[in-house]
Amino acid sequence: MSSHKHLLLMSRDVYGNNVLHLAGLLAPENQLNLVPGAALQMQHELQWFKEIENIVQPAYKVDKNCNGETPAMIFTKAHRELVKEGRDWMKVVANSCSVAAALIATIVFAAAITVPGDYNDAGRPNLYKQIAFTTFSISDALSFFSSVAAIIMFLSILTARYAEGDFLYVLPKRLIWGLVMLFLSLTSLMVAFCANVYLVFCDRKAYWTLALMFVSSLVPVSLFASSQYPLLWDLMVSTYGPGIIHKERTFYEMIRENLKLVCYFGCIGIPVENTD
């Protein structure tokens, strides 16, 4: 590390704040709005604070400024409102999705009881030898199990403690799995519906009806995928991606990308231009 970059890390302002203290401040609103959703914004803030924490000296993590505040105390104080907003956002999303998952579970459970083709005198389904009936049974069971799994994941979000550290990995992972299970249950429901329709109309040679049903079943799956894909993609990139500070970036580029630190170093008289 060059002497100039080392000076940036070692510098303090007139209030005794080191670089980690300033990393704990809330990002400017224009930067914060680049991340959709309060929960993702909180995750982004936590990731930035952790990244800076990993490159400073260990003593800086418990260092106190003139007001006797550590970097962790600064972070908690500055992000108190964002934690509340993230909690409310998570609960609204989880509650809405859990209702949809419960509705799907109710439908597929009823469909499993009233199988197409009815039963024979021995209590066995009349159409059990057909491939379409096997497809219906498998997809119906898969839809039921995945919808129940989605309900469990969304319920775990609703009953979470919502500590600030939970927004880093715990809550985003639960929401990702919940959305994936919900999409799987909806897709399996449409497959089961198509198999059921095929069993009803296959002997009547109503091919246009079958084609219309199959095409129509793609509509809800496509609508759900197109509406929830941006949220799911943002969650997966933010949670499982390379992080805020990519390994290929230089330390100088990292400093310049954070407006809070640039303003800080400018105030204490350290130039932000690269002098190497």
Side-chain angles (χ1 to χ4, degrees):
M1 183 181 297
S2 67
S3 59
H4 177 68
K5 296 173 182 177
H6 181 72
L7 181 61
L8 293 179
L9 278 181
M10 300 296 296
S11 300
R12 296 175 180 270
D13 64 4
V14 294
Y15 301 104
N17 294 310
N18 60 41
V19 65
L20 192 57
H21 281 100
L22 296 184
L25 296 176
L26 187 65
E29 187 175 355
N30 61 329
Q31 283 191 333
L32 206 60
N33 291 334
L34 297 177
V35 182
L40 286 175
Q41 292 174 357
M42 185 62 195
Q43 184 189 39
H44 187 273
E45 290 290 284
L46 279 167
Q47 288 173 341
W48 172 252
F49 185 77
K50 295 295 182 182
E51 293 282 3
I52 300 300
E53 191 177 47
N54 290 333
I55 62 175
V56 299
Q57 296 181 4
Y60 276 38
K61 301 176 183 179
V62 294
D63 192 19
K64 296 182 179 180
N65 59 15
C66 296
N67 296 324
E69 296 174 320
T70 63
M73 295 170 62
I74 292 289
F75 184 90
T76 300
K77 181 179 179 181
H79 294 82
R80 187 175 291 113
E81 291 299 323
L82 188 59
V83 169
K84 294 180 181 179
E85 294 176 6
R87 177 194 61 195
D88 296 339
W89 183 86
M90 274 281 190
K91 286 187 175 182
V92 169
V93 173
N95 187 60
S96 301
C97 292
S98 61
V99 172
L103 180 61
I104 294 176
T106 303
I107 294 174
V108 296
F109 182 79
I113 298 176
T114 57
V115 297
D118 210 350
Y119 300 90
N120 56 24
D121 296 335
R124 179 177 297 176
N126 294 321
L127 304 176
Y128 77 97
K129 292 184 178 180
Q130 297 193 27
I131 298 178
F133 184 83
T134 304
T135 303
F136 166 79
S137 302
I138 295 175
S139 58
D140 189 82
L142 181 60
S143 179
F144 178 76
F145 294 142
S146 56
S147 60
V148 172
I151 294 174
I152 294 174
M153 297 309 300
F154 293 130
L155 182 62
S156 67
I157 294 176
L158 293 173
T159 57
R161 59 177 185 167
Y162 289 99
E164 63 181 30
D166 293 341
F167 287 91
L168 187 59
Y169 291 114
V170 176
L171 292 174
K173 285 182 178 180
R174 291 179 183 178
L175 186 56
I176 289 173
W177 279 106
L179 290 174
V180 170
M181 289 296 103
L182 182 58
F183 177 75
L184 180 60
S185 65
L186 179 61
T187 305
S188 301
L189 174 62
M190 292 298 101
V191 173
F193 172 78
C194 292
N196 194 359
V197 171
Y198 178 81
L199 290 171
V200 174
F201 291 96
C202 63
D203 294 335
R204 304 179 185 179
K205 297 182 179 180
Y207 299 117
W208 66 271
T209 303
L210 293 174
L212 180 61
M213 291 297 102
F214 293 158
V215 173
S216 299
S217 65
L218 297 177
V219 175
V221 177
S222 301
L223 289 176
F224 181 84
S226 61
S227 60
Q228 300 301 322
Y229 174 77
L231 174 60
L232 184 60
W233 175 256
D234 290 337
L235 283 168
M236 295 186 68
V237 170
S238 181
T239 305
Y240 299 104
I244 297 178
I245 305 177
H246 299 280
K247 294 181 179 180
E248 63 271 14
R249 294 181 182 177
T250 65
F251 180 85
Y252 166 71
E253 291 171 340
M254 176 195 72
I255 294 297
R256 292 196 62 181
E257 287 182 2
N258 189 275
L259 182 59
K260 296 178 297 185
L261 296 182
V262 170
C263 293
Y264 162 62
F265 292 129
C267 289
I268 63 176
I270 299 178
V272 296
E273 290 81 14
N274 192 356
T275 59
D276 292 344

